[in-house]
Structures are given as structure tokens and as C-alpha cells.
Amino acid sequence: MKGFILRFFEGIFYACLLKLSFDMPLRLHFFSVVLLLSFRTCSTYDVIFAINCGGGAHVDSNGISYDPDTLETGIASSHGLSLAIMRVNELDRRLYQTERYSTDSFSYKLPVPPDGDYVLVLKFSEVWFRDPGQKVFDVKINDDISLIKNLDIYASVGFATAHDERFQLKFLNGNLYVQDESTVLSVDHFTVDFKKGARDNPKINAILLLRGYLDGTGPSALFDFTSKVMSS
């Protein structure tokens, strides 16, 4: 319902702007088009945090800028650069080719955004093992809320194949809610934790946090696009 309401008012805005543009001089018409595109971009991709784990800065096919990885914990690897990652847009392959892993548990700190609803996207690909059960690990938030138990990337999608895990987060009054669980935010950041298990090392390829909903509001174009690629 929220998605429908947002799209309804967004449509009215576009219609009014386009109507006005027909009566404008050429220069103002150009300005109106730029304003329309800017509004669309801002409403669709309100990015809070984006990092290309183990790699450098990168702009993906949706125009989202990923920061280079400066984490000192663990090991940055570019082994996947020799592979053509499957089931992903060619412009986005770099996000799945570089990675950070560690022989122990490790974490990334993400800034606590203003109260609201957000989507967390964790990007993975298995570029080393070619059998299931070789790399299995857990992912948590604040070392408290369990996001993924016994993640086996190869068992999920196979070798050198993009795999995204997406989660709906809500920040409200100093608390972070994920489904039926919550954790208290006592500082200006929270952590995404990759937990060492009995089978090899935890890893992550890229992390993205942006405002919106998984049900089609906010970053819907991003997730619709990803779904089409993943199913092709």
C-alpha cells in the first residue's frame, strides 16, 4: 500500500512537471527534465552505505557508487577478477569478483541512519570452492540478531555466480528491528558480522544499505532489475 501511494503522488508530480514544460522556453524545458530525473533518482536510490569489499571504488549499473574497502581486518582478495561472474549484469561483475575474507570472525561498521525503513543487501559469490559444504558461515547484526545461518554460497547458486541476500531493517528510537528481533543501538553505528564456522572462512563481496522497502517501495527498480537478471 505504501508503494502504491508513493507511486501515485510521484506520478502526479511527473505529470504536472511535464505539463508545465510544454509552455516553457527551451532552456527551462531542459531544466525541468533534469529536475524530473533528479527527483526520480533521489526517490529511488537513497543510499546510506555502499562498499565494494576487498576492492576499489565502483559505480554499478544502477548508478550507485560503492566506496573502496579500507577495512584492516581480514584479507582483501581479487582472485575472482579472473572469472566471469554469472547471472549478473556485466557492469556489476566487479562487485562479485573482489571480496574480503578472514580466518576469524570479522565485522563492518555501518552508520546508523535517521529513523525509518531500510533495505540491507549483502552480495556474495563463491570463486574458490567447487563443491557444497566447503565454506559455511553465519551472518549477524551487532553480534546479536541472526541474519543468515549456515550460509553455503556454492550450495545456493553454484560456482562464480552472483548471490544477493536482502533484509528489511527498521530504525526507530535507538533500536534496530529485523523481523521479530531487535537490538539496542548505543552508538552511532551498527555492525554486520561474518562469523567463523567449522568449514573454512567467512567472506563478503559487497554491502549496500539504502532507504526503502522490499515490497516494492523505494529501491524497487533496483530489486526488480536484479530479479530479472537472476532469473535469466
Side-chain angles (χ1 to χ4, degrees):
M1 185 62 181
K2 291 180 180 178
F4 173 79
I5 294 173
L6 180 63
R7 292 176 188 278
F8 175 76
F9 284 106
E10 188 177 332
I12 293 176
F13 174 83
Y14 291 163
C16 292
L17 191 58
L18 288 173
K19 175 64 172 66
L20 289 173
S21 69
F22 284 116
D23 301 323
M24 293 178 180
L26 181 60
R27 283 178 297 178
L28 290 180
H29 178 77
F30 173 78
F31 173 77
S32 69
V33 172
V34 172
L35 180 62
L36 185 150
L37 292 175
S38 299
F39 177 85
R40 178 66 182 177
T41 300
C42 291
S43 65
T44 304
Y45 308 118
D46 187 358
V47 178
I48 306 301
F49 181 89
I51 188 167
N52 180 25
C53 301
H58 182 73
V59 179
D60 73 5
S61 60
N62 295 288
I64 295 176
S65 296
Y66 286 75
D67 292 332
D69 188 0
T70 59
L71 188 68
E72 297 181 354
T73 304
I75 301 168
S77 172
S78 58
H79 173 75
L81 289 176
S82 62
L83 303 171
I85 304 299
M86 296 182 288
R87 295 204 307 179
V88 69
N89 188 298
E90 186 175 354
L91 295 176
D92 299 331
R93 283 180 178 172
R94 182 59 60 92
L95 296 174
Y96 300 90
Q97 291 172 320
T98 60
E99 66 179 56
R100 180 167 295 278
Y101 70 91
S102 177
T103 56
D104 201 352
S105 300
F106 68 101
S107 304
Y108 279 88
K109 292 181 179 179
L110 279 65
V112 174
D115 284 359
D117 296 284
Y118 297 83
V119 173
L120 175 67
V121 185
L122 304 179
K123 297 179 178 293
F124 301 94
S125 66
E126 180 54 68
V127 298
W128 187 261
F129 293 109
R130 296 175 181 264
D131 292 291
Q134 302 301 301
K135 180 191 294 291
V136 182
F137 58 95
D138 297 342
V139 182
K140 292 186 174 183
I141 281 185
N142 266 3
D143 208 20
D144 182 16
I145 298 177
S146 177
L147 290 182
I148 314 172
K149 284 185 175 294
N150 298 320
L151 175 61
D152 185 333
I153 303 167
Y154 185 92
S156 297
V157 295
F159 180 72
T161 303
H163 177 61
D164 287 1
E165 295 276 355
R166 309 172 191 129
F167 306 91
Q168 186 71 60
L169 310 183
K170 176 182 282 293
F171 294 85
L172 183 64
N173 298 328
N175 293 281
L176 168 56
Y177 298 88
V178 184
Q179 295 182 350
D180 297 329
E181 297 187 78
S182 66
T183 183
V184 177
L185 301 170
S186 57
V187 291
D188 61 356
H189 65 267
F190 67 100
T191 61
V192 178
D193 314 296
F194 302 89
K195 309 298 291 183
K196 169 75 173 179
R199 300 181 182 180
D200 201 62
N201 306 311
K203 60 165 283 182
I204 179 65
N205 291 83
I207 302 174
L208 173 64
L209 177 67
L210 66 172
R211 182 184 288 272
Y213 303 88
L214 282 174
D215 64 1
T217 309
S220 58
L222 172 65
F223 297 124
D224 289 346
F225 172 81
T226 304
S227 297
K228 291 176 183 177
V229 172
M230 295 295 285
S231 62
S232 61

